[in-house]
Amino acid sequence: MQNIAIAIHGGAGTITKNTLTTTQEIAFNAALKQAVEAGHRLLAKGGTALDAVELAVTILEDEPLFNAGRGSVFTKAGKHEMDAALMCGKTMAAGAVAGVRGIKNPIKLTRAILEKSDNVMLSGYGAEEFAREHAIEFAPESYFYDAYRYQQWCEVRDTNLFLMDHTEQREQKFG
Amino acid sequence: TVGAVAVDSAGNVAAATSTGGMTNKNFNRIGDTPIIGAGTYANNATCAVSCTGHGEFFIRSVVAYDISCLIEYKGYTLQEACEEVVLNKLIKIGGEGGLIAVNPAGDIALTFNSEGMYRACKRNDEQTILGIYKN
């Protein structure tokens, strides 16, 4: 019998026992479990790998704990700019977007590009226009606001530094 | 960044990655995520890969495709290929991060060189595996 399997990630960085509280650790684990098991259930019912990865990533994009979709970090300009990609191993078809704003689930836009476009990668305003033409859901700027992400940005916005998903500022303090 | 890789009951693999980029990024910077072959790649002949980490290093090393190539041309196992790229090649150039990968046989690799990576996997009826920290 063919094995089915799914794996997910929610970002990497300076994540140690000292940087997470027990409450945070429980919340992260619950979110990961929900996403991976939703994808696995779909596979177990005979769903495709492409549908399973799209579903799992959509769930993670809706979770503010992770830097994607709703939980996206702030740019230098105080905005949210998102990138995403999706690829099918059977057909080698791919869809990707870069620098889009206001798209609720960028991974759904990549699926539309994969299936309904002759292109592989769209960016910026053009990608958003494509999203509107294909009824991809948008969300207001307030949807992407997260107090923790805002605080992270405040610590570095007057510098030329940029930070990875889960990187703590350990030695530098910015007044 | 978030990502997923999967293999279905027909033996087809797929990969997906999504990100908000880096805090305080400027000049419409994009990372490896949307670049096919760097941060996301899937090929039924080899594997599916989704990356996370310092994107510039993943772009320069064409990480996801590199793993596929090691399997296709050098006969590496999925785990060997992931470790070669993440724990050897990337570290040498200072690239921090990790990846998840799956192959059509249902093997899974969760490999990272940072202090932690939020991760989870489930195969067949086996128990769900969750992880955050190294080890």
Side-chain angles (χ1 to χ4, degrees):
Chain A
M1 186 184 161
Q2 169 66 42
N3 289 319
I4 58 167
I6 182 167
I8 64 169
H9 69 74
T14 52
I15 314 159
T16 66
K17 288 263 183 196
N18 297 327
T19 58
L20 286 186
T21 65
T22 306
T23 308
Q24 287 172 319
E25 192 176 318
I26 290 168
F28 274 108
N29 278 327
L32 290 167
K33 191 169 192 284
Q34 183 196 356
V36 78
E37 292 187 348
H40 184 270
R41 277 195 298 276
L42 194 152
L43 291 172
K45 289 179 185 169
T48 67
L50 200 61
D51 286 340
V53 295
E54 183 187 351
L55 175 64
V57 167
T58 298
I59 291 169
L60 294 169
E61 283 179 339
D62 291 343
E63 172 54 66
L65 288 170
F66 302 109
N67 174 23
R70 188 176 189 180
S72 291
V73 297
F74 287 82
T75 66
K76 183 79 175 173
K79 304 291 184 185
H80 306 280
E81 245 175 39
M82 297 167 283
D83 310 326
L86 179 69
M87 186 164 184
C88 172
K90 179 184 178 186
T91 61
M92 306 289 285
V97 289
V100 292
R101 291 183 186 176
I103 308 282
K104 186 167 181 253
N105 293 107
I107 200 67
K108 292 186 178 177
L109 177 54
T110 66
R111 183 67 180 263
I113 294 167
L114 185 153
E115 292 180 342
K116 299 168 184 169
S117 161
D118 292 331
N119 306 117
V120 168
M121 187 175 175
L122 303 179
S123 70
Y125 297 127
E128 290 159 17
E129 188 182 340
F130 182 89
R132 285 187 196 93
E133 286 180 6
H134 292 82
I136 301 295
E137 188 177 0
F138 280 67
E141 206 152 299
S142 57
Y143 173 79
F144 299 97
Y145 177 82
D146 178 81
Y148 174 69
R149 296 296 187 198
Y150 183 75
Q151 185 57 40
Q152 273 187 323
W153 174 59
C154 286
E155 289 175 11
V156 292
R157 68 181 173 184
D158 295 326
T159 75
N160 290 321
L161 293 174
F162 47 90
L163 304 177
M164 246 168 65
D165 287 17
H166 305 285
T167 301
E168 298 295 322
Q169 282 293 320
R170 285 174 169 171
E171 294 168 2
Q172 294 153 301
K173 296 290 179 193
F174 302 98
Chain B
T1 307
V2 304
V5 293
V7 55
D8 59 32
S9 56
N12 298 317
V13 299
T17 317
S18 182
T19 188
M22 297 176 100
T23 300
N24 212 37
K25 77 186 179 104
N26 208 355
F27 310 118
N28 299 119
R29 174 263 188 194
I30 64 160
D32 61 293
T33 294
I35 299 176
I36 300 299
T40 306
Y41 187 71
N43 182 346
N44 269 8
T46 53
C47 61
V49 181
S50 170
C51 300
T52 177
H54 199 152
E56 279 70 11
F57 294 94
F58 283 71
I59 293 169
R60 281 189 249 163
S61 296
V62 202
V63 165
Y65 183 63
D66 204 21
I67 287 165
S68 176
C69 287
L70 287 172
I71 295 168
E72 186 169 8
Y73 302 136
K74 300 285 277 183
Y76 281 39
T77 65
L78 184 72
Q79 189 66 37
E80 287 170 345
C82 293
E83 289 182 3
E84 174 63 28
V85 174
V86 176
L87 305 182
N88 191 11
K89 185 176 176 180
L90 264 179
I91 282 183
K92 280 181 183 165
I93 60 167
E96 184 185 3
L99 56 84
I100 53 172
V102 67
N103 66 13
D107 300 318
I108 295 171
L110 312 165
T111 312
F112 56 100
N113 62 34
S114 48
E115 290 179 65
M117 180 172 83
Y118 295 104
R119 59 199 187 276
C121 64
K122 185 172 177 66
R123 183 168 55 179
N124 299 329
D125 294 328
E126 296 169 14
Q127 202 169 3
T128 301
I129 295 171
L130 303 170
I132 297 177
Y133 316 109
K134 206 173 268 185
N135 305 318

